[in-house]
């Protein structure tokens, strides 16, 4: 077989053929794995819902989606899949599942996705759990802040940014669940704030 001349034209053809073949192979593999990956994600989320609600028999009665936030309603509360709305942490932040009862107390949480600096996401998985230094379990969500920001939740050692991001995600879960439970509450808050500003 005759060797191709090393010209710009021949190199462009070879690179184009390689790119097309590689692209087609990647698309094929992506299509093959799409279904199994989706099934694994659904299974992981179903397990996370039961874990954060601390109830293996929890039955989802309704699902409400608002952008990236998903509220899974049950008879005794909700599991909320959420992220930090400001996305203000290193590496793109955390995606968490938070369990809230009807009084908006945190039943449990789990970190689903962490794009944090290695180790920080793992610390968040334990730090805010019952018995952890920043324990939020059993507390009413909505106004969590680190002690550095005037709140009463201990931040992860040497990782205030990750702690802030995590707590904003939990507060966001509370806000989204509140909207589902009482859709007029947000309008009432804006109305009273506007009236206050006008006085």
């Amino acid at each position: 077989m005759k060797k191709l001349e090393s010209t710009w034209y021949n190199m462009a053809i070879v690179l184009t053929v390689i790119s097309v073949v590689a692209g087609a192979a990647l698309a094929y593999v992506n299509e093959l794995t799409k279904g199994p990956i989706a099934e694994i994600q659904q299974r992981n989320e179903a397990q996370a819902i039961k874990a954060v609600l601390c109830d293996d028999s929890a039955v989802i009665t309704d699902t409400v989606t608002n952008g990236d936030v998903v509220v899974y309603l049950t008879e005794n509360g909700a599991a909320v899949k959420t992220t930090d709305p400001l996305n203000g942490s290193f590496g793109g932040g955390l995606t968490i599942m938070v369990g809230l009862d009807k009084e908006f107390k945190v039943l449990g949480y789990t970190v689903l996705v962490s794009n944090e600096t290695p180790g920080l996401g793992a610390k968040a998985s334990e730090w805010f759990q019952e018995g952890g230094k920043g324990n939020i379990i059993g507390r009413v969500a909505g106004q969590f802040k680190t002690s550095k920001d005037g709140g009463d939740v201990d931040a992860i050692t040497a990782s205030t940014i990750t702690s802030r991001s995590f707590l904003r995600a939990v507060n966001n879960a509370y806000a989204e669940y509140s909207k589902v439970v009482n859709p007029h509450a947000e309008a009432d808050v804006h109305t009273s704030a506007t009236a206050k500003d006008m006085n």
Side-chain angles (χ1 to χ4, degrees):
M1 185 173 163
K2 187 179 175 185
K3 186 177 176 183
L4 283 174
E5 279 186 59
S6 187
T7 64
W8 180 89
Y9 178 76
N10 286 342
M11 286 189 288
I13 289 174
V14 170
L15 284 174
T16 301
V17 169
I18 290 171
S19 299
V20 168
V21 170
L26 284 171
Y28 177 71
V29 170
N30 183 52
E31 199 58 39
L32 276 180
T33 57
K34 194 187 296 181
I37 289 172
E39 283 178 31
I40 290 168
Q41 286 175 336
Q42 285 177 341
R43 195 164 45 241
N44 288 345
E45 282 192 20
Q47 289 171 349
I49 290 167
K50 289 180 180 181
V52 301
L53 292 172
C54 304
D55 184 359
D56 285 340
S57 62
V59 176
I60 297 167
T61 56
D62 197 7
T63 303
V64 179
T65 303
N66 183 12
D68 291 336
V69 182
V70 184
V71 180
Y72 299 97
L73 294 165
T74 69
E75 287 184 5
N76 300 316
V80 185
K81 178 184 172 186
T82 184
T83 59
D84 172 8
L86 301 180
N87 199 17
S89 61
F90 292 121
L94 305 166
T95 299
I96 62 173
M97 184 79 75
V98 182
L100 299 169
D101 68 12
K102 288 186 174 180
E103 276 129 28
F104 303 104
K105 289 179 183 173
V106 178
L107 297 169
Y109 75 86
T110 187
V111 176
L112 297 174
V113 177
S114 173
N115 295 317
E116 298 287 306
T117 304
L120 297 184
K123 281 188 180 178
S125 293
E126 299 168 6
W127 189 269
F128 304 101
Q129 299 284 7
E130 192 167 5
K133 292 184 180 178
N135 179 18
I136 61 169
I137 306 301
R139 297 180 55 189
V140 176
Q143 298 296 321
F144 288 138
K145 290 181 185 175
T146 66
S147 49
K148 287 187 179 180
D149 298 322
D152 61 357
V153 180
D154 288 338
I156 298 169
T157 307
S159 186
T160 305
I161 292 172
T162 296
S163 300
R164 287 174 178 151
S165 180
F166 174 84
L167 294 176
R168 278 193 301 261
V170 175
N171 291 336
N172 191 45
Y174 161 84
E176 294 296 330
Y177 180 36
S178 296
K179 285 183 206 172
V180 173
V181 172
N182 187 3
H184 304 293
E186 189 177 36
D188 294 342
V189 169
H190 289 311
T191 305
S192 60
T194 305
K196 188 177 177 184
D197 293 340
M198 290 172 70
N199 289 336

